[in-house]
Amino acid sequence: MSDSESTPDKTKPAAKSKKAPLISPAAGVGVGVAIGSAAIVAALLYANRSKKADKKA
């Protein structure tokens, strides 16, 4: 047996993972809080707008 047979072929490129990079849990929580806050603000603005329309009528 020769040395070339016992060692792996080094000319092949390393296999790369095709997975997308994951968001860290802390970043995921921050994104969730931001989306939730935006939803609350939008709901409050919508509710306030409908009250102003009632007064004009």
Side-chain angles (χ1 to χ4, degrees):
M1 191 190 301
S2 67
D3 289 335
S4 63
E5 292 176 7
S6 63
T7 58
D9 189 10
K10 293 182 181 180
T11 60
K12 293 182 183 177
K16 293 185 179 180
S17 175
K18 292 186 178 182
K19 293 182 181 177
L22 298 176
I23 298 175
S24 67
V29 170
V31 170
V33 169
I35 292 172
S37 298
I40 290 170
V41 169
L44 291 173
L45 289 173
Y46 180 76
N48 195 18
R49 186 181 77 177
S50 64
K51 286 183 182 179
K52 287 181 182 179
D54 290 340
K55 289 181 183 178
K56 290 181 181 178

